[in-house]
Amino acid sequence: MTQRVAIIGAGPSGMAQLRAFDSARKAGRPIPEIVCYEKQDDWGGQWNFSWRTGTDKYGEAVHSSMYRNLWSNGPKEALEFAEYTFDEHFGRPISSYPPRAVLWDYINGRAEKSDVKKYVQFSTVVRWVQFDDKTSKFTVTVHNLVSGETESSEFDQVIVGSGHFSFPNVPDFAGIETFPGTLIHAHDFRGAERLADRNVLLIGASYSAEDIGIQAFKMGARSVTMSYRTAPMGYEWPEGIQERPLVQRFDGNSVYFADGTVEQYDAVILCTGYLHHYPFLPSDLALSSPNNLYPKALYRGVVSEANNNLFYLGAQDQWFTFNMFDAQAWYVRDVILGDASLPSAAEQQTDMKHWVERLENLGSASEEIRFQADYIRDLINQTDYPMFDLDEVSRIFLAWKKDKQHNILNYRDQVYPSVLTGTMSCVHHTPWLNELDDSLERYLSHPAKDELDDVVSSSDSSAASA
Amino acid sequence: MTQRVAIIGAGPSGMAQLRAFDSARKAGRPIPEIVCYEKQDDWGGQWNFSWRTGTDKYGEAVHSSMYRNLWSNGPKEALEFAEYTFDEHFGRPISSYPPRAVLWDYINGRAEKSDVKKYVQFSTVVRWVQFDDKTSKFTVTVHNLVSGETESSEFDQVIVGSGHFSFPNVPDFAGIETFPGTLIHAHDFRGAERLADRNVLLIGASYSAEDIGIQAFKMGARSVTMSYRTAPMGYEWPEGIQERPLVQRFDGNSVYFADGTVEQYDAVILCTGYLHHYPFLPSDLALSSPNNLYPKALYRGVVSEANNNLFYLGAQDQWFTFNMFDAQAWYVRDVILGDASLPSAAEQQTDMKHWVERLENLGSASEEIRFQADYIRDLINQTDYPMFDLDEVSRIFLAWKKDKQHNILNYRDQVYPSVLTGTMSCVHHTPWLNELDDSLERYLSHPAKDELDDVVSSSDSSAASA
């Protein structure tokens, strides 16, 4: 009977897995029968923006946590596919921090080129996965949201690419039920325009709080407060943005902080992270982990220790993204094709132990970045995925962090060279802080000077009240 | 082997089912082993308010669509349990339109009295239900959200009481993704305070739009517009509330209506109804129906035609609520205990056909009410649930509708007598439009006159801008 492989999710990870199998097929290798189930009606995962929040038109949890105005918060040179460059896709240099639609266009371009859409069943949600010890097969039950039909079929391997930045982690706070203003998690944030003239509180001190905070500033919030549990982000915030220690309690509009201060707010956005949540998996197969760089029980970060025919892509916290998913997908492909062999359970544990111990001793961000670079290098060494200059990417990450320390409002105006083609990114036609149109068309356009002046003046006025 | 019955959901329907089995047990009847799975950490279903929206702390869809300020929008005399009166619970007359917390207290009181909490597994979500034709048993797989463990067990009957007002129906509108303001479905509405001084658009012309509209007015919205598809609600709205035909498209803050008018809004609330959504059921067992008074394929409105060991409670659109769920639960109990026998599939179909044909010919609201009253009467006649004066309740419904036509802002200040005890409700100490404290404590208190004056003046000022 033909070998069958199920891929759950057609986001950047699932798309990488499809491309990995496709590259083997194009190299003349026989590949298994592949079915990729995607809940949404298009691929791209997080990068497939939806105006919807909560549940979608079929009653399924909305996947994407992205907002209308999202631009890459790291240099694109750090996520470039080693086998499909930005030069190849765009045909000319672009800036280092493109908006969401531009990065979606890039990952879509790679996938379209390799003609893998035929493997994807869209608008199909995986309801339940069961493993049968006798037959050593997975029964995957899915729900076609358009037809309404549920059906089950058997697979030899299952690859989970559904991600772990879609189900919000929403802690409780004393009295929060009495807060009368806008109260959402960052997952449901769709744009900062509605925060204009409002006093906004963001609870959290990571990427969500950082970027939604400057988005709110950009769109004219009256004030932005960010509340941290352990340490402030410590950027040189402009007038109108401040950091405070953790919220102790709410009383109506009043928020009490750990430093004894009290403030009134109109809107609260919980930037409190996300959950590993796999409602379609039995507990003995579902990954349970905090968001870290090396979840336990995943050999080489992808092979489930509980069942070596179950794989996870992108289950780590991420400095590297698209190219790390590629390295993982190429390795998983080779394990499934038999080109890479898995060591004994004991050896797998020894290897995981080594990485987890190193993880526990990481101090600086720089050490974290090198840790993930080494992890990716180890994967690529097992496969035919093109090696790329991971040390140079690590240097770019460190420079990016310096840029943010220097000026959190204009780091997206800085440019970096591709580690693959050497192409230097070009400075964008409009500074990020002044750009209010996040569309692909606007980004790729060559606006005349007077247009730019319009944009600048309009954004100046919109930011005036901050 | 002992007969086992699973109840999915511990809302008003599931609680009615637990009470129904309990009453048989107290009457000396042997009852099956019963397990009730409830996703939330307490019972009450919709009446168990949560400040959360989207997904809960475990990543599960938030069940309750209620908001902080929700008061009953129909007279409590129409939903009174025939075997547990308001007099018995409160020991004194209360008003006819209590706030959410007071009605939760009432249904909780009945359930606590009959000591059925021991049957409920809280914080446990049903993942998947499978029926085995050979064994004629259901395998129900659940996820304990606290322990994280999933487990499966077999049942002879499954009763679905998860409701159909929890998964929002969210249609698309041209350009809605460009709307920069607050944009939520009524399911995620938690309070109207945040709408003060805002121009608010509600899309819909049913109970959600009606009540959120007057809530927004009460809390000081600058303007409230309600957009209808087929017909306006036609109440005598106060200055500041208007009705418009259906929205054609959005362009940023501008909304274009079918009558050619254009308006700008700060907030949009989609009052567009809910979906029958049963993600834990295979499609051959999942009820698929519009929201109407007699979903097809449910014999006597509760027995699944597809599998007579599968039952649905409260799957109808509802004029009657708590006491209808009781009638259904008592009947389902008797079918399961063998006290009521099911006719042949052909006879079931004939009976359903008769009701569905009558449904299709209903004209007025008054005919709808009598239709549901007749349906309940038919159920109660099969059981030992106390018959109550369904005609009198129907008259109360019609009087309620007249009250709303007369004054949509003060119909909740009207009072009705219990059809069970004859007790006349008492006029509440504070008119609904002036009452800003929706708590049980405030409702049951006897505020001094000066307090009342405070409340009035404060609410006057808060409504002043409307």
Side-chain angles (χ1 to χ4, degrees):
Chain A
M1 194 183 132
T2 31
Q3 182 182 19
R4 303 187 77 228
V5 177
I7 301 170
I8 300 177
S13 292
M15 293 164 89
Q17 193 63 67
L18 291 170
R19 169 64 191 135
F21 278 112
D22 181 64
S23 69
R25 188 186 58 77
K26 288 203 171 76
R29 297 293 311 277
I31 64 167
E33 182 182 344
I34 294 163
V35 184
C36 177
Y37 298 112
E38 169 54 49
K39 182 170 74 172
Q40 304 186 79
D41 59 11
D42 198 359
W43 58 17
Q46 288 282 357
W47 300 88
N48 179 17
F49 170 80
S50 172
W51 61 270
R52 297 168 180 272
T53 57
T55 51
D56 66 16
K57 65 179 170 180
Y58 300 112
E60 301 300 315
V62 169
H63 182 79
S64 181
S65 302
M66 292 196 181
Y67 34 95
R68 210 182 296 100
N69 331 87
L70 183 137
W71 290 47
S72 178
N73 65 345
K76 76 181 195 303
E77 289 69 28
L79 52 76
E80 190 165 18
F81 296 123
E83 55 129 52
Y84 186 77
T85 65
F86 284 101
D87 287 358
E88 177 179 352
H89 183 75
F90 290 100
R92 62 173 168 96
I94 61 171
S95 75
S96 282
Y97 297 84
R100 179 199 60 78
V102 174
L103 284 173
W104 181 87
D105 193 69
Y106 173 59
I107 58 176
N108 178 65
R110 198 261 294 252
E112 289 287 358
K113 180 190 174 198
S114 63
D115 185 31
V116 291
K117 209 167 225 170
K118 58 180 178 284
Y119 299 115
V120 186
Q121 290 187 21
F122 289 102
S123 302
T124 303
V125 61
V126 175
R127 288 284 182 229
W128 193 244
V129 175
Q130 198 130 19
F131 184 74
D132 184 328
D133 293 315
K134 295 187 211 61
T135 64
S136 289
K137 288 190 187 292
F138 295 92
T139 300
V140 177
T141 301
V142 303
H143 185 171
N144 180 319
L145 298 168
V146 175
S147 72
E149 293 305 306
T150 51
E151 60 173 33
S152 302
S153 55
E154 290 193 336
F155 293 92
D156 301 283
Q157 284 90 15
V158 171
I159 300 165
V160 179
S162 55
H164 60 105
F165 297 118
S166 284
F167 289 95
N169 172 55
V170 186
D172 215 331
F173 291 91
I176 193 169
E177 71 282 358
T178 68
F179 181 73
T182 296
L183 172 60
I184 58 171
H185 184 278
H187 174 61
D188 292 330
F189 175 76
R190 290 293 178 267
E193 300 91 338
R194 67 195 64 171
L195 301 177
D197 303 325
R198 312 303 256 182
N199 294 307
V200 182
L201 171 64
L202 310 176
I203 301 181
S206 189
Y207 295 111
S208 296
E210 171 196 309
D211 200 52
I212 294 174
I214 59 176
Q215 287 281 351
F217 173 82
K218 176 178 176 175
M219 297 300 186
R222 177 173 296 126
S223 75
V224 177
T225 303
M226 301 167 183
S227 165
Y228 57 87
R229 182 195 309 277
T230 45
M233 289 176 270
Y235 295 112
E236 283 181 20
W237 300 112
E239 178 73 28
I241 302 184
Q242 61 172 342
E243 294 195 75
R244 286 281 173 87
L246 194 59
V247 168
Q248 297 293 293
R249 65 185 180 90
F250 287 78
D251 182 3
N253 278 104
S254 298
V255 180
Y256 294 74
F257 297 92
D259 61 4
T261 57
V262 187
E263 300 260 13
Q264 280 73 43
Y265 293 98
D266 305 305
V268 171
I269 301 175
L270 300 165
C271 303
T272 43
Y274 292 87
L275 302 168
H276 277 276
H277 186 60
Y278 307 98
F280 48 85
L281 288 177
S283 45
D284 59 340
L285 297 180
L287 177 64
S288 171
S289 173
N291 180 33
N292 67 37
L293 292 173
Y294 207 96
K296 290 173 178 156
L298 290 183
Y299 173 65
R300 281 209 153 104
V302 289
V303 185
S304 169
E305 184 183 22
N307 184 323
N308 281 186
N309 285 309
L310 178 69
F311 305 88
Y312 285 84
L313 300 177
Q316 299 70 15
D317 195 8
Q318 294 155 15
W319 290 90
F320 292 79
T321 54
F322 297 165
N323 43 30
M324 177 172 75
F325 308 151
D326 274 10
Q328 294 179 320
W330 259 250
Y331 175 68
V332 167
R333 175 202 69 186
D334 289 353
V335 169
I336 290 174
L337 294 182
D339 295 357
S341 59
L342 296 176
S344 69
E347 291 169 285
Q348 291 181 29
Q349 280 172 20
T350 309
D351 185 76
M352 288 185 280
K353 195 158 169 294
H354 146 77
W355 286 99
V356 170
E357 276 169 5
R358 181 175 162 192
L359 172 66
E360 285 161 356
N361 294 310
L362 293 179
S364 64
S366 143
E367 285 172 19
E368 284 190 8
I369 293 162
R370 291 184 198 293
F371 175 91
Q372 195 153 62
D374 291 346
Y375 163 69
I376 294 168
R377 185 178 290 107
D378 175 61
L379 283 175
I380 294 179
N381 283 333
Q382 318 298 317
T383 74
D384 66 357
Y385 189 75
M387 182 60 76
F388 58 100
D389 191 339
L390 288 152
D391 296 327
E392 184 54 29
V393 174
S394 300
R395 280 187 288 274
I396 290 177
F397 273 123
L398 295 174
W400 162 62
K401 287 184 67 67
K402 273 214 189 62
D403 293 340
K404 287 168 66 177
Q405 290 298 339
H406 176 260
N407 186 337
I408 190 67
L409 296 179
N410 77 0
Y411 76 90
R412 285 186 169 106
D413 302 329
Q414 312 310 312
V415 289
Y416 291 95
S418 166
V419 304
L420 293 155
T421 63
T423 301
M424 191 65 189
S425 287
C426 65
V427 174
H428 191 47
H429 52 62
T430 308
W432 173 80
L433 192 60
N434 298 338
E435 182 59 271
L436 295 178
D437 181 341
D438 313 287
S439 68
L440 174 76
E441 298 64 32
R442 165 75 187 177
Y443 181 80
L444 295 179
S445 70
H446 301 280
K449 187 175 173 326
D450 55 348
E451 289 179 63
L452 293 178
D453 296 340
D454 296 346
V455 175
V456 175
S457 55
S458 67
S459 73
D460 288 349
S461 59
S462 84
S465 60
Chain B
M1 195 181 127
T2 31
Q3 182 182 20
R4 302 187 76 228
V5 176
I7 301 170
I8 299 177
S13 291
M15 294 165 87
Q17 193 63 68
L18 291 170
R19 170 62 191 135
F21 278 111
D22 181 63
S23 68
R25 188 187 58 76
K26 288 203 170 77
R29 296 293 312 275
I31 65 167
E33 181 182 343
I34 293 163
V35 183
C36 178
Y37 298 111
E38 170 53 50
K39 183 170 73 173
Q40 304 185 79
D41 60 10
D42 197 359
W43 58 17
Q46 288 282 356
W47 299 88
N48 179 17
F49 170 80
S50 172
W51 60 270
R52 296 166 180 273
T53 57
T55 50
D56 66 16
K57 65 180 169 179
Y58 301 111
E60 301 301 315
V62 169
H63 181 79
S64 181
S65 302
M66 292 197 182
Y67 33 96
R68 207 181 299 99
N69 332 87
L70 183 138
W71 290 47
S72 177
N73 65 343
K76 74 181 197 304
E77 289 69 28
L79 52 78
E80 189 165 19
F81 297 123
E83 54 130 50
Y84 185 78
T85 65
F86 282 101
D87 287 357
E88 177 179 352
H89 182 76
F90 290 100
R92 62 172 168 97
I94 61 171
S95 75
S96 282
Y97 297 84
R100 179 200 60 80
V102 174
L103 284 174
W104 181 87
D105 192 69
Y106 173 58
I107 58 177
N108 179 65
R110 198 260 296 248
E112 289 287 357
K113 179 190 174 198
S114 63
D115 184 31
V116 291
K117 209 167 224 170
K118 57 180 180 284
Y119 298 115
V120 186
Q121 289 185 23
F122 290 103
S123 302
T124 302
V125 61
V126 174
R127 288 288 181 225
W128 194 243
V129 175
Q130 198 130 18
F131 183 73
D132 184 329
D133 293 315
K134 292 184 213 63
T135 64
S136 288
K137 288 188 186 294
F138 296 90
T139 299
V140 177
T141 301
V142 303
H143 186 171
N144 180 320
L145 299 168
V146 176
S147 72
E149 294 303 307
T150 52
E151 60 172 32
S152 301
S153 55
E154 292 193 334
F155 293 92
D156 300 281
Q157 284 91 15
V158 171
I159 301 164
V160 179
S162 55
H164 60 106
F165 296 119
S166 284
F167 289 96
N169 172 54
V170 186
D172 214 332
F173 292 91
I176 193 169
E177 71 283 356
T178 68
F179 181 74
T182 296
L183 173 60
I184 58 170
H185 185 279
H187 174 62
D188 292 331
F189 175 77
R190 289 294 177 266
E193 299 92 337
R194 68 195 63 171
L195 300 177
D197 303 325
R198 313 302 260 180
N199 294 307
V200 182
L201 171 64
L202 310 177
I203 302 181
S206 187
Y207 295 112
S208 295
E210 170 196 309
D211 199 53
I212 294 174
I214 59 176
Q215 287 281 350
F217 172 82
K218 176 178 176 176
M219 296 301 185
R222 177 174 298 127
S223 75
V224 177
T225 303
M226 303 167 181
S227 165
Y228 57 87
R229 183 198 311 275
T230 44
M233 289 177 271
Y235 295 112
E236 283 181 20
W237 301 111
E239 177 74 27
I241 301 184
Q242 61 170 341
E243 295 195 75
R244 286 281 174 85
L246 194 58
V247 168
Q248 297 294 294
R249 64 185 179 92
F250 286 80
D251 183 2
N253 278 105
S254 297
V255 180
Y256 295 75
F257 297 92
D259 61 3
T261 57
V262 186
E263 300 261 13
Q264 279 73 42
Y265 293 97
D266 305 306
V268 171
I269 302 175
L270 300 165
C271 303
T272 43
Y274 293 88
L275 301 168
H276 277 277
H277 186 61
Y278 308 97
F280 48 84
L281 287 178
S283 45
D284 58 342
L285 297 179
L287 177 65
S288 170
S289 173
N291 180 35
N292 67 36
L293 292 173
Y294 208 95
K296 289 172 178 155
L298 291 182
Y299 174 64
R300 281 208 153 105
V302 289
V303 184
S304 170
E305 183 183 21
N307 184 323
N308 281 185
N309 284 307
L310 178 69
F311 305 88
Y312 285 84
L313 300 177
Q316 299 71 12
D317 194 8
Q318 295 155 14
W319 289 91
F320 292 77
T321 54
F322 297 166
N323 42 30
M324 178 173 73
F325 307 151
D326 273 10
Q328 294 179 321
W330 258 251
Y331 175 69
V332 168
R333 175 202 69 185
D334 288 352
V335 170
I336 290 175
L337 295 182
D339 295 356
S341 60
L342 295 176
S344 71
E347 291 169 286
Q348 290 181 29
Q349 278 172 22
T350 310
D351 185 76
M352 289 185 281
K353 193 158 170 294
H354 147 77
W355 287 97
V356 170
E357 278 171 4
R358 181 176 161 190
L359 172 66
E360 287 161 354
N361 294 313
L362 293 179
S364 64
S366 143
E367 285 172 21
E368 285 191 9
I369 293 162
R370 294 186 195 291
F371 175 91
Q372 195 154 62
D374 290 345
Y375 164 69
I376 295 168
R377 184 178 292 107
D378 175 63
L379 285 175
I380 295 179
N381 283 334
Q382 318 298 316
T383 73
D384 65 358
Y385 188 75
M387 183 59 78
F388 58 100
D389 190 339
L390 287 153
D391 295 327
E392 183 55 29
V393 173
S394 301
R395 280 188 286 274
I396 289 177
F397 273 123
L398 295 175
W400 162 62
K401 288 184 66 66
K402 274 213 187 65
D403 293 339
K404 287 167 66 176
Q405 289 298 340
H406 177 259
N407 186 337
I408 191 66
L409 295 179
N410 77 0
Y411 75 89
R412 286 187 169 104
D413 302 328
Q414 312 310 313
V415 290
Y416 291 95
S418 167
V419 304
L420 293 154
T421 63
T423 302
M424 190 67 190
S425 287
C426 66
V427 174
H428 191 47
H429 53 62
T430 308
W432 173 81
L433 193 60
N434 298 339
E435 181 57 273
L436 295 178
D437 181 341
D438 312 288
S439 68
L440 174 76
E441 298 64 30
R442 164 76 186 176
Y443 181 80
L444 295 180
S445 69
H446 301 279
K449 184 172 176 329
D450 56 346
E451 288 179 65
L452 293 179
D453 295 342
D454 295 348
V455 176
V456 175
S457 56
S458 69
S459 75
D460 287 350
S461 60
S462 86
S465 61

